[in-house]
Amino acid sequence: MPEAAQVRSFIDDAVRWRKTGDEAFLLRLIRSSCSGVPHDVGAAYATLAGRTGDLLDAIDRGRLALPTPERDSALLFVRRARFVRESSAEEDAFRFVVAEAFAVEEFVKEFPQGDKAAVEVELTEPVEPEEAVGVPRWQKHFSASALNAYTECARKWFYRYACAAVEDPGSSASAYGTAFHLALEDFHGDFPRPRGADRLAMRKRVRECVTWAFERNRDGFETRVEFELQVRRAQRTAQRYVDWLLVQELEAPFEVLGREVSAELDLDGRAFVGFIDRLDRDERTGNVGVVDYKTGSIATSAAEYCEKVRRFRDFQLPFYYWARTAAGDRVSRLVLIPLKDALLDVRPVVLEVGKTINLDDLERSREKMIELSTLLASGEIRHFETTKNASACTYCAYQTACANKPPAEAQRFGS
Ligand code: SF4
């Protein structure tokens, strides 16, 4: 219930908004407890409109997916705001117009009398809910990351792939990953066969590649300080990566066959696509290794990653395995290279096919890819469950819109 002082401040903002047309006052109105809009919804719309402009239009278009009561409250706010904006009342009377339109006049006693007849707000009848139908068939190609998203949280898949509900503006973490991948792609263009004799040249070149790649992705970092810190982090990590290459070259010499290699696979008529960061050939055996760079958090051991594969929580390396096998390669190694922590040595997670990860697990993963892609292409799914694992929500771009997301860990322990 708003206090008199909040109501007066709310009305002051409405007066200024009508007078100046400055959207900042409108954003304050929707965030106010007098707006009739739940605070988190008002704040979310204010944030969205702060980036895109035109709050009322954003609500009209339903830019945030909301439960019906909250959506209706936002639409009512729009009607009220437009109503008061169109009012031609003088300022004193206008204050009364605003108070009555937003049904807060009872909280302020000292209004001058205005023309009450002018403040009737006409509400339309609620529309009948539409009949629930399945999400249209998914007709585009599939990817391992799309299936990973689905198994992590079906609702996230729905938002990202079926609706494209909220544009994900990216983060400095994603810009870091993009820039680092680009740097290593260039670096291995010059050094496809790492050799100890080239140690100094490799160190110099990787430094240049990192500098150039981050410059190209400078816009992905919000501040100059953030940018400089991330470049330093990347430079240190890149030197550790070279250390690891040199050790690797002594243990098992290899040649980089390809960088950002297109991976395509037909699974029971469903097209899967992706890109492999690096493809290596072992110079002693001729076998092929698939290498994936990871700049975020990953499994810390081969056993942990294999368990994720067995539980159908990660399809990426199995997908690469089947794509390159279908292309005629003899794939013997699947490797994740952690490039997140500049303070640690690079210690890859290596899966030796037939040893660390067995073929049955890869085969079951392939069957699951077919099963899930068939389901997503069926057009029969009527409900996309939210995850029960609150940690999956931490960096989810759809948090604001997501009804029924699990409570955060802290809240759960607090209850
Ligand atoms: S906020 Fe959580 S429950 Fe909602 S879509 Fe994202 S991951 Fe799923």
Side-chain angles (χ1 to χ4, degrees):
M1 189 148 300
E3 311 249 333
Q6 290 171 317
V7 175
R8 278 196 292 276
S9 161
F10 179 79
I11 293 172
D12 286 345
D13 285 335
V15 170
R16 291 189 200 110
W17 177 52
R18 185 181 68 149
K19 202 172 191 172
T20 64
D22 186 341
E23 185 93 356
F25 293 117
L26 183 62
L27 301 187
R28 285 170 55 160
L29 289 179
I30 196 171
R31 288 200 306 264
S32 164
S33 58
C34 305
S35 67
V37 179
H39 182 71
D40 56 340
V41 175
Y45 260 123
T47 306
L48 178 68
R51 289 204 306 266
T52 60
D54 205 337
L55 172 67
L56 302 184
D57 183 61
I59 297 174
D60 276 342
R61 290 167 184 268
R63 293 284 303 277
L64 296 181
L66 296 171
T68 306
E70 295 175 2
R71 188 191 59 209
D72 288 349
S73 70
L75 289 171
L76 178 58
F77 172 83
V78 170
R79 287 198 294 275
R80 287 167 160 172
R82 289 201 173 114
F83 174 79
V84 300
R85 185 175 61 188
E86 299 309 318
S87 168
S88 56
E90 295 295 324
E91 184 169 320
D92 283 346
F94 178 68
R95 290 176 174 277
F96 191 79
V97 169
V98 174
E100 283 221 336
F102 284 88
V104 291
E105 74 278 18
E106 65 180 286
F107 302 104
V108 179
K109 307 294 179 207
E110 69 275 21
F111 283 115
Q113 289 305 302
D115 178 5
K116 291 191 177 188
V119 298
E120 293 298 321
V121 177
E122 212 173 291
L123 303 183
T124 55
E125 291 298 314
V127 293
E128 286 295 313
E130 292 175 13
E131 194 184 333
V133 292
V135 166
R137 298 179 49 200
W138 181 252
Q139 293 174 317
K140 301 179 190 165
H141 59 253
F142 288 89
S143 65
S145 48
L147 297 193
N148 288 352
Y150 183 77
T151 55
E152 183 182 40
C153 174
R155 185 70 59 92
K156 185 190 278 190
W157 184 92
F158 169 73
Y159 283 137
R160 181 178 300 165
Y161 294 94
C163 311
V166 180
E167 187 184 341
D168 182 355
S171 61
S172 79
S174 60
Y176 180 87
T178 303
F180 212 134
H181 278 69
L182 186 59
L184 294 189
E185 185 186 351
D186 285 343
F187 170 73
H188 281 297
D190 292 339
F191 290 97
R193 283 197 182 88
R195 294 286 179 260
D198 296 329
R199 176 185 305 264
L200 291 180
M202 285 166 64
R203 292 200 182 286
K204 179 168 179 284
R205 185 65 189 135
V206 83
R207 204 173 298 121
E208 292 165 354
C209 291
V210 167
T211 301
W212 178 83
F214 274 75
E215 275 302 329
R216 279 191 60 186
N217 286 277
R218 186 182 267 271
D219 289 350
F221 299 90
E222 276 191 14
T223 64
R224 186 177 173 79
V225 172
E226 171 77 1
F227 173 76
E228 296 294 345
L229 287 173
Q230 296 302 341
V231 171
R232 286 182 196 190
R233 173 185 164 207
Q235 292 290 17
R236 284 197 296 268
T237 309
Q239 293 301 323
R240 288 181 183 271
Y241 175 75
V242 172
D243 292 341
W244 171 73
L245 283 178
L246 294 170
V247 172
Q248 186 68 16
E249 184 269 332
L250 285 179
E251 288 176 358
F254 66 95
E255 176 187 12
V256 174
L257 290 181
R259 301 157 288 136
E260 284 296 307
V261 179
S262 167
E264 294 168 12
L265 182 64
D266 182 291
L267 288 178
D268 259 19
R270 313 228 174 277
F272 277 71
V273 298
F275 287 91
I276 298 172
D277 291 335
R278 208 180 85 200
L279 211 55
D280 294 348
R281 187 175 62 81
D282 186 315
E283 292 188 351
R284 299 162 309 168
T285 63
N287 290 344
V288 165
V290 165
V291 177
D292 196 43
Y293 304 135
K294 291 292 182 195
T295 53
S297 299
I298 58 166
T300 52
S301 67
E304 191 185 327
Y305 186 81
C306 287
E307 188 54 27
K308 287 175 84 175
V309 171
R310 278 184 211 109
R311 291 194 297 118
F312 306 125
R313 288 288 180 267
D314 198 307
F315 294 96
Q316 197 163 28
L317 292 185
F319 163 61
Y320 293 154
Y321 171 83
W322 288 112
R324 290 315 305 176
T325 300
D329 288 338
R330 203 168 61 234
V331 181
S332 64
R333 296 180 102 207
L334 305 169
V335 184
L336 295 174
I337 301 190
L339 297 169
K340 183 182 177 195
D341 197 329
L343 302 177
L344 299 178
D345 287 341
V346 172
R347 290 189 198 287
V349 173
V350 181
L351 310 185
E352 301 283 354
V353 176
K355 295 177 190 160
T356 331
I357 186 161
N358 63 50
L359 281 170
D360 286 347
D361 288 338
L362 290 169
E363 181 57 41
R364 272 195 293 277
S365 179
R366 181 177 174 280
E367 284 165 8
K368 191 71 178 179
M369 282 190 262
I370 294 172
E371 180 191 319
L372 290 178
S373 56
T374 303
L375 175 69
L376 291 169
S378 69
E380 296 297 323
I381 308 178
R382 285 168 184 262
H383 182 69
F384 290 84
E385 276 293 342
T386 50
T387 180
K388 297 196 173 18
N389 176 9
S391 66
C393 308
T394 308
Y395 299 109
C396 179
Y398 311 105
Q399 274 191 55
T400 311
C402 183
N404 306 325
K405 58 179 172 282
E409 297 285 341
Q411 281 175 279
R412 283 198 284 161
F413 284 117
S415 60

